[in-house]
């Protein structure tokens, strides 16, 4: 078997964009807990993270949707902006309509560069008008903090009232699946049944002061829980115990399968510096007022694409043969190249190949037939709507 | 995990060979192994090739096997196909040279046979050997067992 070593080929796929060679790997507060629970640790974005535990990636993925999964995402970077001008400041850097957000709600957003390309994607929450809480990708931490920090300095120099704090004293856990809310409800007095998708609360969970967001990266109902780092292991243990083992520790391998099934972008694969949110199919995340006013980096490029349509678009595929992988070429029936796969794999829940990639506009409609080349051979593929697996976000009754 | 150990014990008693059962992988005594985790079972000038229990365990659930054509040739040390798991693709490297006389078409419908039965129903190709002397450069079961231990210790 050769793929750069068996386990290495798996990690290489996930960490290609985020490899750091020289420094020793960072450990989250749950590192020893992972190892004690059979976690297979691999390097990811400069951290030692569990790719899976004793159960297979396939079983783990299926279990998350059937019961629930608990993920250590403490490698991701949480930060807060404080001050009267937090909202206008951040609006210069992201596409979201932050002013229009109800306090205690948040959304997926994109940090853009001057060309309208994506610097990173992030879940941003307006806690109050003078407090914004956001989480950015581990692999983009240094880049994002340098970017935000530089703009913060110039904004302050012009008299703006904003400061920031990086939450390295906290750890982030993700609890996803149908048992997420019932399990968490055992650990908190707050009524979770009235907390809907995208909402945020500061509350006590298991006696610890947590930031709770009803959000996630799997398509399932669930939460991201920011807990003081010294309480992370105890919270993880409490969650697993309350679920009587039905919620399982779940690693990065399953996390990638889950997000792919949910049609969600992985920054570094499906979104990069040269890809705009419009091309990535995230126009819905650009606030209506922002589309009219602009005022964020790269707005001129993005507004033009909204008007004229982008030249390429992100789409989903079902395909035959071996699973399509990142960088596989997409061709039309006559063999001419029309795009490239950016993420792909075998769906544990659908038991078929799924992939995401970019194709020329015009060839992006569901049902469009194409060929995907794997190891030089073309295999039938068809453009498909995403999510591949229906999402279960907890929304208020209509 | 439990079912694999059970299978290994049953296979062991059926084949009347000793198996070395560690928590995660089985090594069969009368096979030869290369350092990329393929096994070969020789019968005269004909050989059957597959991937080892150690290999399938590390790969995870196999979802697709790319098989070569019957009639094509393989060379020792060269790849002749690929095994796909949920997350990764791995080349299959041939431990022997020769002409492929049969491929396991069952794997097209049931790629999971590679996981469930890596030494039996999960066989991949049958080869007419060119040069039996090539087998001398392969590892026996004891050497391969030690090789796996050393490799795992590095991770």
């Amino acid at each position: 078997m050769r793929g750069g070593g068996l386990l290495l080929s798996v990690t290489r796929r996930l960490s290609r964009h985020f490899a750091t060679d020289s420094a020793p790997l960072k450990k989250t507060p749950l590192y020893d807990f992972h190892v004690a629970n059979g976690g297979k640790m691999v390097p990811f974005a400069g951290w030692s993270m569990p790719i899976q535990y004793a159960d297979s990636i396939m079983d783990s993925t299926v279990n998350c949707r059937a019961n629930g999964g608990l993920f250590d995402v403490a490698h991701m970077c949480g930060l807060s902006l404080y001050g009267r001008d937090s909202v206008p400041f951040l609006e210069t850097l992201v596409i979201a309509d932050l002013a229009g957000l109800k306090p205690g709600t948040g959304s997926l957003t994109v940090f853009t560069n001057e060309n309208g390309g994506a610097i990173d994607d992030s879940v941003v929450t307006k806690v109050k008008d003078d407090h914004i809480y956001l989480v950015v990708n581990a692999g983009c931490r240094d880049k994002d903090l340098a970017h935000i920090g530089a703009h913060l300095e110039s904004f302050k120099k012009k008299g703006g009232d904003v400061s920031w704090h990086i939450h390295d004293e906290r750890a982030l856990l993700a609890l996803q699946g149908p048992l997420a809310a019932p399990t968490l409800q055992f650990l908190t007095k707050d009524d979770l049944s009235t907390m809907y998708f995208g909402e945020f609360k500061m509350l006590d969970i298991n006696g610890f002061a947590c930031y709770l967001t009803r959000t996630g990266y799997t398509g399932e109902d669930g939460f991201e829980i920011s807990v003081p780092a010294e309480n992370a292991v105890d919270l993880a243990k409490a969650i697993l115990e309350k679920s009587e083992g039905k919620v399982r520790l779940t690693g990065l391998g399953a996390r990638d399968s889950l997000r792919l099934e949910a049609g969600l972008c992985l920054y570094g694969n499906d979104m990069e510096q040269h890809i705009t949110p419009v091309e990535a199919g995230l126009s819905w995340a650009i606030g209506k007022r922002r589309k009219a006013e602009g005022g964020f980096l790269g707005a001129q490029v993005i507004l033009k694409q909204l008007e004229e349509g982008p030249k390429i678009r992100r789409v989903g595929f079902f395909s035959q043969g071996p699973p399509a992988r990142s960088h596989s070429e997409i061709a039309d029936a006559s063999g001419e190249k029309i795009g490239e796969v950016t993420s792909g794999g075998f769906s544990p829940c659908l038991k078929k190949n799924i992939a995401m990639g970019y194709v020329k506009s015009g060839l992006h409609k569901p049902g469009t037939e194409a060929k995907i080349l794997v190891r030089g051979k073309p295999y039938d593929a068809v453009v498909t709507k995403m999510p591949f697996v229906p999402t279960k976000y907890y929304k208020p009754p209509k | 995990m439990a079912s694999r150990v059970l299978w290994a014990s049953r296979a062991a008693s059926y084949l009347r060979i000793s198996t070395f059962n560690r928590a995660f992988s089985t090594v069969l005594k009368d096979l030869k192994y290369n350092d990329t985790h393929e096994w070969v079972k020789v019968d005269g000038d004909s050989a059957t090739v597959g991937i080892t229990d150690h290999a399938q365990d590390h790969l995870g659930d196999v979802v697709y096997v790319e098989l070569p054509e019957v009639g094509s040739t393989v060379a020792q040390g060269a790849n002749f196909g690929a095994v796909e798991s949920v997350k990764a693709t791995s080349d299959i490297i041939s431990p022997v040279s020769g002409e492929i006389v049969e491929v396991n078409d069952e794997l097209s419908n049931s790629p999971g046979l590679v996981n469930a039965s890596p030494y039996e129903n999960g066989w991949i190709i049958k080869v007419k050997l060119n040069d039996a002397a090539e087998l001398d450069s392969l590892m026996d079961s004891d050497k391969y067992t030690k090789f796996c231990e050393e490799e795992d210790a590095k991770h």
Side-chain angles (χ1 to χ4, degrees):
Chain A
M1 310 297 314
R2 210 190 298 136
L6 298 170
L7 212 51
L8 244 43
S9 62
V10 178
T11 62
R12 199 176 46 196
R13 234 153 266 289
L14 288 179
S15 65
R16 190 176 354 98
H17 292 271
F18 307 125
T20 42
D21 313 290
S22 41
L25 295 173
K26 291 184 266 196
K27 294 179 177 176
T28 71
L30 271 69
Y31 177 86
D32 291 337
F33 185 63
H34 295 313
V35 173
N37 281 281
K40 293 184 183 166
M41 310 307 287
V42 300
F44 182 81
W47 296 76
S48 181
M49 299 299 289
I51 189 142
Q52 65 184 97
Y53 299 82
D55 50 350
S56 69
I57 292 176
M58 194 108 83
D59 286 347
S60 208
T61 305
V62 170
N63 179 67
C64 182
R65 298 204 191 282
N67 299 310
L70 181 64
F71 305 78
D72 176 1
V73 285
H75 59 319
M76 297 185 77
C77 179
L79 58 148
S80 280
L81 294 170
Y82 300 105
R84 200 186 46 233
D85 297 322
S86 304
V87 167
F89 164 67
L90 194 57
E91 281 203 352
T92 64
L93 303 180
V94 301
I95 59 180
D97 176 3
L98 296 174
L101 273 179
K102 207 173 91 180
T105 63
S107 166
L108 175 72
T109 194
V110 178
F111 280 86
T112 51
N113 58 35
E114 263 118 28
N115 300 318
I119 291 178
D120 198 3
D121 59 1
S122 163
V123 174
V124 64
T125 300
K126 185 163 88 181
V127 181
K128 301 179 288 167
D129 283 316
D130 59 1
H131 178 195
I132 296 178
Y133 168 68
L134 57 148
V135 180
V136 297
N137 282 305
C140 298
R141 179 193 166 112
D142 292 343
K143 177 178 68 161
D144 291 354
L145 295 183
H147 175 69
I148 297 170
H151 284 270
L152 194 65
E153 280 315 298
S154 26
F155 193 87
K156 276 159 66 162
K157 281 207 177 79
K158 295 189 203 142
D161 174 18
V162 57
S163 64
W164 66 344
H165 171 76
I166 321 297
H167 289 293
D168 286 334
E169 78 285 1
R170 300 190 142 264
L172 197 65
L173 302 179
L175 175 60
Q176 302 281 299
L179 295 180
T183 306
L184 205 58
Q185 190 63 86
F186 280 121
L187 299 173
T188 184
K189 288 206 194 76
D190 281 58
D191 181 8
L192 298 175
S193 71
T194 56
M195 187 181 181
Y196 298 106
F197 180 69
E199 290 178 4
F200 172 96
K201 266 187 196 201
M202 289 186 180
L203 77 184
D204 265 9
I205 301 178
N206 202 44
F208 311 134
C210 292
Y211 300 173
L212 187 68
T213 314
R214 195 145 195 165
T215 191
Y217 193 51
T218 61
E220 296 297 311
D221 178 31
F223 304 86
E224 290 193 349
I225 312 165
S226 168
V227 60
E230 64 272 18
N231 301 134
V233 174
D234 285 336
L235 181 57
K237 282 183 181 166
I239 290 171
L240 297 170
E241 272 161 28
K242 284 297 177 198
S243 80
E244 293 170 354
K246 293 222 171 86
V247 171
R248 287 190 221 151
L249 279 171
T250 308
L252 295 184
R255 189 168 165 79
D256 190 43
S257 291
L258 288 159
R259 69 95 195 162
L260 184 60
E261 289 180 337
L264 299 169
C265 291
L266 173 62
Y267 188 84
N269 279 40
D270 315 294
M271 246 204 311
E272 290 191 79
Q273 303 265 120
H274 60 279
I275 295 177
T276 72
V278 182
E279 292 163 341
L282 298 179
S283 299
W284 58 265
I286 308 173
K288 196 161 164 213
R289 174 177 58 85
R290 312 305 313 276
K291 285 179 187 169
E293 296 177 359
F296 51 88
L297 292 173
Q300 39 340 323
V301 175
I302 287 173
L303 264 39
K304 185 153 179 263
Q305 281 187 350
L306 284 171
E307 206 184 293
E308 300 176 354
K311 295 204 169 63
I312 58 171
R313 288 169 202 258
R314 182 175 64 101
V315 292
F317 286 96
F318 283 134
S319 70
Q320 302 301 313
R325 309 280 186 190
S326 187
H327 302 306
S328 294
E329 192 180 295
I330 306 170
D332 63 16
S334 69
E336 207 180 292
K337 182 172 178 179
I338 58 168
E340 192 175 285
V341 174
T342 51
S343 283
F346 185 81
S347 163
C349 296
L350 301 176
K351 300 279 188 280
K352 54 205 294 201
N353 297 332
I354 57 176
M356 248 188 235
Y358 285 83
V359 292
K360 287 188 194 161
S361 286
L363 297 169
H364 63 279
K365 306 245 167 72
T368 306
E369 286 176 354
K371 301 270 184 204
I372 298 184
L373 273 67
V374 180
R375 288 186 293 279
K377 284 204 238 164
Y379 294 93
D380 290 336
V382 64
V383 176
T384 280
K385 276 177 122 179
M386 294 186 285
F388 299 100
V389 171
T391 56
K392 309 240 188 59
Y393 301 130
Y394 186 70
K395 302 246 168 117
K398 292 216 160 61
Chain B
M1 209 58 65
S3 61
R4 199 176 24 251
V5 169
L6 205 51
W7 166 82
S9 320
R10 266 191 269 122
S13 49
Y14 175 77
L15 295 165
R16 272 181 293 244
I17 50 173
S18 71
T19 63
F20 181 60
N21 272 342
R22 294 177 313 133
F24 295 114
S25 77
T26 299
V27 180
L28 297 188
K29 217 160 171 65
D30 62 350
L31 307 183
K32 290 275 208 173
Y33 303 85
N34 64 10
D35 61 5
T36 47
H37 305 283
E38 284 83 11
W39 56 265
V40 57
K41 181 173 181 176
V42 182
D43 188 5
D45 74 345
S46 150
T48 310
V49 173
I51 68 167
T52 65
D53 190 31
H54 181 271
Q56 71 76 21
D57 183 55
H58 278 246
L59 264 178
D61 297 297
V62 173
V63 301
Y64 186 86
V65 181
E66 191 171 284
L67 296 166
E69 302 270 317
V70 170
S72 56
T73 50
V74 288
Q76 188 182 53
N79 72 309
F80 65 83
V83 177
E84 304 262 4
S85 66
V86 173
K87 294 255 69 66
T89 309
S90 280
D91 289 332
I92 318 173
I93 312 295
S94 186
V96 291
S97 310
E99 185 193 326
I100 299 180
V101 296
E102 211 182 324
V103 302
N104 188 354
D105 289 314
E106 271 305 303
L107 296 180
S108 303
N109 296 326
S110 310
L113 286 173
V114 172
N115 299 110
S117 178
Y119 299 113
E120 291 277 295
N121 300 325
W123 66 272
I124 303 176
I125 58 171
K126 289 197 162 109
V127 177
K128 182 152 159 268
L129 290 177
N130 268 352
D131 180 7
E134 276 181 341
L135 299 169
D136 298 337
S137 62
L138 300 174
M139 290 182 264
D140 64 16
S141 59
D142 291 334
K143 275 225 194 93
Y144 177 66
T145 302
K146 194 156 188 299
F147 174 76
C148 289
E149 279 169 13
E150 283 166 7
E151 223 186 49
D152 281 346
K154 283 193 215 134
H155 286 114

